[in-house]
Amino acid sequence: MKKKGLLISLFAALLVLLTGCNSIAVLNPKGPVAKTQSDVIIFSMIVMAVVLLVVYVLYIYMLTKYRASKAAPDYEPPHMEGSKWLEITWTLIPVIIVIILSVVTVRSTYAVEKTPEGYESDKPLIIYASSSNWKWHFSYPEEGIETVNYVNIPTHRPVEFRLYSFGPITSFWVPQLGGQKYAMSDMVTRLHLVAEHEGSFVGKNSNFSGKGFAHMEFEVLAMSPAGYTKWIDEVKQTASELTEQEFNSLLEADHVGRKTYTSTHLTFRPAPEGEHGGHNHGAPAADSNEGTDKEMDHSKMDHSTMDHSNMDHSEMENQEADHSQHGN
Amino acid sequence: MKWDEFFVTGEPMIYGAMASIVLVSLAILFCLTYFKKWGYLWREWLTTVDHKKIGIMYILSALIMLFRGGVDALMMRTQLAGPDMKFLDAQHYNEVFTTHGVIMILFMAMPFIIGLMNVVIPLQIGARDVAFPRLNAVSFWLFFAGAMLFNISFVIGGSPDAGWTAYFPLAGIELSPSVGNNFYSIALQIAGIGTLITGVNFIVTILKMRAPGMTLMRMPMFTWSVLITCVIIIFAFPVLTVALALMMFDRMFGSQFFTMADGGMDMLWANLFWVWGHPEVYIVVLPAFGIYSEIISTFSRKNLYGYKSMVVSMIAISLLSFLVWAHHFYTMGHGAMVNGFFSITTMAIAVPTGVKIFNWLFTLQKGRIEFTTPMLYSLAFIPIFTIGGVTGVMLAMASADYQYHNTMFLVAHFHYVLIPGTVFAVIAGMYYWFPKLFGFRLNERLGKLSFWIIAISFNVTFLPLFFLGLKGMTRRMYTYSESTGFGPLNLIATIGSAALAIGFAILVYNIYWSFRYQPRDTTSDPWDARTLEWATHSPVPEYNFAITPNVKSLDAFWFWKKNKQPLFEGKIEEIHMPNNNGQPFVLGVIFFFFGFFMIFSWWTPAIISGIAIVIMLAVRSFERDHGHHIPVKEINKTEQQLRGDKA
């Protein structure tokens, strides 16, 4: 029968998932965030498999036992109103399951929204990741370097990605390091990741953003702290500065290969946070660094300066001057 | 505007489509003229206010849209069959997945559901028509105008290409300068008005026009589900109306609600869209639950198990449906607390849904299960939909959703919900109520054949997508390289989709075959069913019931048959019926042109047709039309004829 086949194939598939899942990126974590998520996923799969099993067993039982072809010719089904206790049972048990899952969800959601456990005391490496057309810019403000379409990070150090976009909403996703988060033009969102294994991981934009979307991938290279320092030094010796002009032409391009620079665009095109945010109607800009939840506070953000058409400085300054008219 | 901007150019497939549209239109015009059917078409269909005919027109449109959306789906699956396929380019693919989503949800699922509502609800509650028959025709023609407007976009002007969710700023004028997304905002707006009116119409119909004795708790489950659905419609659709209006202002009149500059908020669109969008899912799923309840109960020859908890759980679902919208964008960066809240409300929906699943299972218990085609779809729904449901709970968990979001896992999930949840239901409903409308059943052999093909190939198509999602394949990517390893599973899915298409083709062929060869039913109750619609003749006369039934219990028709409990008491009297009217059709046509001119920003004709709409409404306001009365003699004659046919 089809349904039994389905059941078997489902469990077989589950088995494959739970045992050897090297090709399943999401279940092959290389850092604590992705590990937490992978654990949650596998836990929920097991719970859901039990639910499915209960439903399927009942279903097969009903369908085999009560088919008309098996009934006596004069069999007339009884009138059944329902059963208070049965109905309470199949309300309460799902409620309990939902409560368990809720606890797991809320705890794990808090966990993945902050610096992973065990890394709280380490100073996070801050990297601004911004998308334009179909490429990613990575700015390292402390190191003063910028890369395009690849990002190198040290292992065992928390990395705080600050995400924003120079265009449509994109979603920054490195499946093996942790779940995704949106990058938007009028605010900065933050994603905390740690790589615990060296290696090269696929990163991508997962939120549809137009024509070149399918090719909007980047490489995350997790390297040893020593290797990372060496790489920074190398970049500083070999690469050149990112001029505003160069950056503007980068923004215009659809796709570019990898690029490396010894300065960041943040100096002349600050990220949309604090006083540069999209909806800051004249409010004080002091709260830009007040913790991770703050950046979602729309009322405190300002006019966008991330707009393609507003690229030159004088216009930006005009916009800034405009703010005073929009008092809260 | 130059002609090559007006028409879509440069794609051989689209030239083919243009040619076939012209040829088919000419063929239709020729046939109508040759067989002298213009008068028939006008009198019997275009001007009709009869809920049954309007229902049939809805269902026909839905089947055509199913074809259109299905072709879109096949094109996508072909493009994804292997790595680096060159079948579609990025732009074309983006348009195709956008129209696939919009058409399947708004122009296939919705009209199919609304069509069945139209056909069944007045009959199920023992009424002669809906509360506002002419308004009902307006609903249909507005929906139809919107659907046609949206559909011509692929040959004229270019289709929308920002996804069915049309997220800003991508869908804004700056990043999508073509008229494609104008089609989205205007066509959906027009169709949406129609849906909103339907919602109002059916709430009034169900609340005010039930047969004597049919208390709320004696209503059939499908009627209950439609009542609750219509309440969701009138709360959810105004949000879409506002969102689309703002979108129109942004795109056409330079406002900055969702733009990147000047304080526009892209996430405001996402919120508004999903405040409508999530309840919308329940708008198409709840009536499906009602259909399954009717069918499972009929073919188990048992009353529905846990009637009260079925009603309560639907009400709970309808309330919760408005409290979960943010789960569509957990990844937008709201803090853990907001995400936690929406996770819990979302998972809570699993509880009432689970109650319904168990109630259906226990309806089967001690039943006498007959595996007819409608029953097969209803039975297949339970295990497949449960997979959709449990993966929904998995997606509801915010921390895990960061990994599922925007991936094929999500795509698999909502197809596992919407296809068994809605598509199977409307097909089952079509098989089930078909004899009521036409006086004969669809062929069971062909029906079962297509059922098995559809049910199996559905799983072949969509099960692999769960794994593709976990492997990291995002939705809406038009191509992938071989190194990703997405190839084999995609190929399986594409093979499944081809088989799915064959299944649907057999389904349509079955309709044709049955019209020609299927023996006519001699009874008005071929399934030995339980509810009032089976108490009148098949096909149903214009006035539905010669005598209004008097309801004394749930499943009144069943108890009439079993216990000889009287159902039709009293004698035949004159019946008051609404007149046919051409205005709704004309209004629809004007709306179509109004929308078209708006889309292309051709202001003068747009203003003229806007004025024409106002004039139409004014004319209606000053018109007196009290309908007509069918004399007793004529009713007697019709009844005799219908009974005589049976002898």
Side-chain angles (χ1 to χ4, degrees):
Chain A
M1 232 178 105
K2 189 211 106 223
K3 274 116 212 167
K4 279 179 195 162
L6 189 70
L7 196 70
I8 291 163
S9 63
L10 197 86
F11 275 96
L14 205 66
L15 218 63
V16 171
L17 277 182
L18 297 179
T19 51
C21 42
N22 281 338
S23 73
I24 305 256
V26 166
L27 301 180
N28 185 16
K30 297 292 180 198
V33 179
K35 178 81 173 75
T36 306
Q37 285 160 334
S38 162
D39 290 347
V40 170
I41 289 170
I42 288 171
F43 172 73
S44 67
M45 276 179 177
I46 292 167
V47 175
M48 291 303 131
V50 173
V51 173
L52 272 185
L53 188 70
V54 172
V55 172
Y56 282 16
V57 166
L58 261 176
Y59 176 79
I60 291 166
Y61 172 78
M62 299 296 182
L63 283 195
T64 44
K65 185 134 187 246
Y66 300 110
R67 40 181 60 217
S69 53
K70 278 194 179 176
D74 58 343
Y75 174 68
E76 193 58 35
H79 184 86
M80 289 161 69
E81 277 298 329
S83 148
K84 196 166 85 186
W85 289 110
L86 272 178
E87 287 173 49
I88 288 175
T89 313
W90 63 58
T91 310
L92 273 186
I93 293 176
V95 166
I96 294 166
I97 295 175
V98 166
I99 289 173
I100 295 169
L101 291 176
S102 297
V103 172
V104 172
T105 304
V106 171
R107 287 172 63 109
S108 58
T109 305
Y110 272 96
V112 299
E113 284 288 349
K114 55 177 202 235
T115 311
E117 213 173 308
Y119 293 95
E120 292 94 337
S121 54
D122 299 348
K123 187 168 160 289
L125 170 64
I126 292 171
I127 300 177
Y128 283 82
S130 52
S131 65
S132 72
N133 280 335
W134 303 292
K135 57 196 159 316
W136 288 95
H137 311 262
F138 297 95
S139 319
Y140 300 65
E142 277 169 56
E143 288 76 1
I145 61 171
E146 178 152 330
T147 59
V148 178
N149 286 337
Y150 78 100
V151 56
N152 290 3
I153 55 170
T155 55
H156 297 96
R157 180 173 169 192
V159 182
E160 182 182 324
F161 284 101
R162 297 194 176 172
L163 313 170
Y164 59 101
S165 162
F166 288 96
I169 300 175
T170 50
S171 192
F172 179 91
W173 188 32
V174 189
Q176 289 191 283
L177 294 186
Q180 62 200 284
K181 191 158 278 185
Y182 282 178
M184 291 166 287
S185 64
D186 43 8
M187 64 171 70
V188 167
T189 50
R190 294 170 201 220
L191 185 63
H192 303 269
L193 299 177
V194 176
E196 285 183 337
H197 300 267
E198 288 176 31
S200 159
F201 311 118
V202 176
K204 59 183 84 183
N205 164 27
S206 73
N207 197 59
F208 176 65
S209 61
K211 220 166 70 187
F213 163 69
H215 300 295
M216 201 169 160
E217 286 192 355
F218 56 91
E219 185 196 3
V220 181
L221 189 62
M223 42 197 357
S224 66
Y228 174 73
T229 322
K230 203 172 134 228
W231 172 72
I232 296 282
D233 289 341
E234 261 173 36
V235 168
K236 289 200 165 154
Q237 281 158 23
T238 54
S240 59
E241 202 173 316
L242 175 62
T243 62
E244 197 172 347
Q245 200 188 3
E246 163 102 13
F247 183 67
N248 286 344
S249 66
L250 264 183
L251 283 182
E252 290 294 329
D254 287 353
H255 298 277
V256 296
R258 294 182 175 213
K259 304 256 179 203
T260 314
Y261 302 99
T262 57
S263 66
T264 74
H265 71 260
L266 297 170
T267 49
F268 47 86
R269 287 292 296 273
E273 59 186 345
E275 62 181 310
H276 304 289
H279 310 287
N280 184 8
H281 291 265
D287 54 41
S288 64
N289 283 320
E290 269 187 30
T292 44
D293 287 343
K294 212 63 184 187
E295 75 269 355
M296 283 304 298
D297 196 342
H298 302 167
S299 62
K300 300 231 174 75
M301 293 184 175
D302 208 359
H303 284 188
S304 169
T305 51
M306 312 322 303
D307 180 339
H308 284 211
S309 60
N310 283 335
M311 251 166 226
D312 73 59
H313 243 95
S314 62
E315 237 185 282
M316 270 168 62
E317 272 151 23
N318 284 342
Q319 274 203 0
E320 308 264 316
D322 266 340
H323 298 166
S324 54
Q325 295 161 15
H326 291 262
N328 256 353
Chain B
M1 178 175 264
K2 287 195 287 286
W3 71 270
D4 63 334
E5 286 171 33
F6 185 72
F7 288 109
V8 177
T9 52
E11 273 277 348
M13 270 188 289
I14 293 202
Y15 290 133
M18 282 175 183
S20 55
I21 288 172
V22 171
L23 285 177
V24 169
S25 310
L26 285 176
I28 291 173
L29 293 179
F30 174 78
C31 287
L32 282 171
T33 314
Y34 186 80
F35 294 106
K36 299 200 173 57
K37 289 288 185 189
W38 283 103
Y40 165 80
L41 184 70
W42 176 256
R43 279 189 312 275
E44 297 293 321
W45 296 99
L46 300 185
T47 62
T48 189
V49 295
D50 183 337
H51 69 96
K52 300 174 286 291
K53 287 184 176 163
I54 291 176
I56 291 170
M57 290 194 290
Y58 264 118
I59 294 171
L60 258 180
S61 324
L63 283 171
I64 295 168
M65 291 296 108
L66 178 67
F67 174 74
R68 161 78 209 269
V71 170
D72 283 348
L74 288 175
M75 284 161 70
M76 281 189 280
R77 282 307 337 158
T78 309
Q79 168 62 20
L80 292 181
D84 298 316
M85 291 279 284
K86 296 278 183 280
F87 178 63
L88 299 175
D89 62 19
Q91 177 59 27
H92 200 171
Y93 187 85
N94 297 345
E95 293 181 14
V96 167
F97 74 66
T98 302
T99 54
H100 170 76
V102 172
I103 286 174
M104 284 303 202
I105 292 279
L106 284 150
F107 300 129
M108 190 284 286
M110 289 290 286
F112 218 135
I113 293 277
I114 293 176
L116 288 171
M117 267 160 66
N118 262 289
V119 167
V120 178
I121 292 297
L123 293 171
Q124 252 189 358
I125 62 173
R128 304 219 186 275
D129 206 318
V130 295
F132 310 112
R134 197 197 283 192
L135 206 56
N136 198 23
V138 172
S139 286
F140 172 75
W141 289 112
L142 288 187
F143 145 74
F144 195 72
M148 289 303 108
L149 202 51
F150 190 84
N151 271 279
I152 58 165
S153 67
F154 84 105
V155 286
I156 297 177
S159 296
D161 55 1
W164 88 282
T165 49
Y167 271 16
F168 277 79
L170 183 62
I173 192 75
E174 198 183 341
L175 296 172
S176 297
S178 83
V179 294
N181 277 289
N182 293 354
F183 274 105
Y184 182 98
S185 69
I186 302 287
L188 265 58
Q189 189 71 283
I190 293 172
I193 297 169
T195 308
L196 194 53
I197 298 173
T198 301
V200 174
N201 208 341
F202 276 82
I203 288 182
V204 179
T205 305
I206 294 172
L207 290 182
K208 301 298 287 185
M209 297 182 66
R210 276 167 289 138
M214 183 181 276
T215 59
L216 284 178
M217 292 312 274
R218 285 182 191 164
M219 291 198 310
M221 196 49 62
F222 181 60
T223 305
W224 254 118
S225 71
V226 169
L227 177 63
I228 294 166
T229 302
C230 289
V231 173
I232 304 181
I233 286 178
I234 63 169
F235 279 97
F237 265 78
V239 182
L240 179 70
T241 306
V242 169
L244 290 173
L246 298 183
M247 178 180 188
M248 178 183 78
F249 289 140
D250 263 19
R251 289 189 53 87
M252 297 181 197
F253 303 111
S255 66
Q256 309 278 340
F257 293 105
F258 310 124
T259 54
M260 288 187 285
D262 299 326
M265 272 202 260
D266 42 9
M267 54 298 256
L268 179 63
W269 166 267
N271 276 278
L272 287 174
F273 182 86
W274 287 113
V275 167
W276 161 79
H278 198 86
E280 165 68 15
V281 175
Y282 292 92
I283 291 171
V284 294
V285 161
L286 285 184
F289 288 173
I291 294 169
Y292 289 134
S293 299
E294 302 292 339
I295 292 174
I296 290 176
S297 152
T298 296
F299 295 107
S300 309
R301 294 176 67 83
K302 271 185 76 210
N303 61 318
L304 189 65
Y305 194 90
Y307 176 90
K308 280 186 200 135
S309 61
M310 285 299 224
V311 173
V312 172
S313 58
M314 276 199 290
I315 293 172
I317 291 174
S318 72
L319 294 175
L320 285 170
S321 74
F322 284 94
L323 297 174
V324 300
W325 78 91
H327 71 211
H328 294 275
F329 42 85
Y330 284 139
T331 52
M332 197 174 267
H334 356 85
M337 198 170 77
V338 172
N339 281 350
F341 172 82
F342 281 99
S343 290
I344 295 169
T345 54
T346 306
M347 284 189 273
I349 291 186
V351 177
T353 314
V355 168
K356 297 187 78 69
I357 297 271
F358 286 110
N359 276 330
W360 285 314
L361 286 175
F362 275 75
T363 303
L364 298 169
Q365 191 204 11
K366 300 197 173 136
R368 202 188 154 87
I369 304 169
E370 282 180 89
F371 296 92
T372 58
T373 309
M375 185 62 161
L376 282 176
Y377 279 104
S378 310
L379 291 176
F381 150 77
I382 294 176
I384 303 178
F385 181 83
T386 308
I387 296 179
V390 297
T391 51
V393 173
M394 291 166 66
L395 279 155
M397 304 172 77
S399 53
D401 179 71
Y402 296 166
Q403 292 281 31
Y404 306 132
H405 185 63
N406 273 330
T407 67
M408 285 305 207
F409 189 91
L410 171 79
V411 175
H413 155 71
F414 68 70
H415 283 92
Y416 261 84
V417 171
L418 285 172
I419 292 184
T422 300
V423 179
F424 282 16
V426 292
I427 298 174
M430 187 179 79
Y431 274 98
Y432 182 62
W433 282 303
F434 199 89
K436 191 41 48 188
L437 284 172
F438 297 103
F440 57 93
R441 279 180 278 188
L442 292 169
N443 183 277
E444 280 286 296
R445 215 171 52 84
L446 283 171
K448 285 178 184 169
L449 176 70
S450 69
F451 161 77
W452 284 109
I453 295 176
I454 289 174
I456 293 170
S457 53
F458 164 79
N459 287 294
V460 176
T461 309
F462 292 102
L463 204 61
L465 303 193
F466 283 118
F467 303 105
L468 280 171
L470 295 176
K471 282 162 88 72
M473 181 171 178
T474 59
R475 68 194 295 201
R476 295 173 173 172
M477 52 197 294
Y478 84 101
T479 190
Y480 53 88
S481 65
E482 200 174 346
S483 60
T484 55
F486 301 154
L489 286 170
N490 269 305
L491 185 62
I492 294 174
T494 301
I495 293 167
S497 71
L500 206 48
I502 293 170
F504 279 107
I506 296 174
L507 182 126
V508 171
Y509 174 72
N510 191 6
I511 298 177
Y512 163 79
W513 191 92
S514 303
F515 258 100
R516 294 202 58 175
Y517 307 113
Q518 188 71 0
R520 273 37 187 171
D521 281 318
T522 52
T523 158
S524 57
D525 177 27
W527 309 114
D528 200 4
R530 316 176 71 86
T531 42
L532 282 183
E533 71 269 30
W534 303 101
T536 186
H537 310 282
S538 308
V540 185
E542 177 199 358
Y543 46 79
N544 291 357
F545 299 91
I547 302 169
T548 300
N550 202 348
V551 178
K552 302 213 173 53
S553 66
L554 188 64
D555 292 347
F557 178 55
W558 180 259
F559 289 105
W560 179 57
K561 285 190 290 189
K562 295 298 146 188
N563 307 342
K564 297 291 164 227
Q565 194 184 66
L567 188 59
F568 298 105
E569 293 163 302
K571 60 180 184 18
I572 291 177
E573 286 169 36
E574 242 187 22
I575 294 174
H576 181 202
M577 293 302 289
N579 287 332
N580 281 1
N581 195 293
Q583 283 176 27
F585 173 72
V586 176
L587 193 64
V589 172
I590 300 176
F591 256 102
F592 176 88
F593 283 105
F594 172 68
F596 188 81
F597 299 138
M598 287 291 287
I599 285 163
F600 284 91
S601 304
W602 294 345
W603 302 122
T604 313
I607 290 167
I608 292 170
S609 40
I611 291 170
I613 290 169
V614 176
I615 291 173
M616 288 296 290
L617 300 180
V619 166
R620 171 62 182 134
S621 310
F622 289 107
E623 185 190 344
R624 284 182 194 282
D625 177 359
H626 294 297
H628 63 280
H629 289 264
I630 307 176
V632 176
K633 225 173 90 184
E634 199 186 317
I635 301 168
N636 277 327
K637 209 176 112 194
T638 315
E639 289 290 302
Q640 264 164 15
Q641 219 172 35
L642 288 167
R643 268 198 303 270
D645 277 349
K646 286 191 281 177

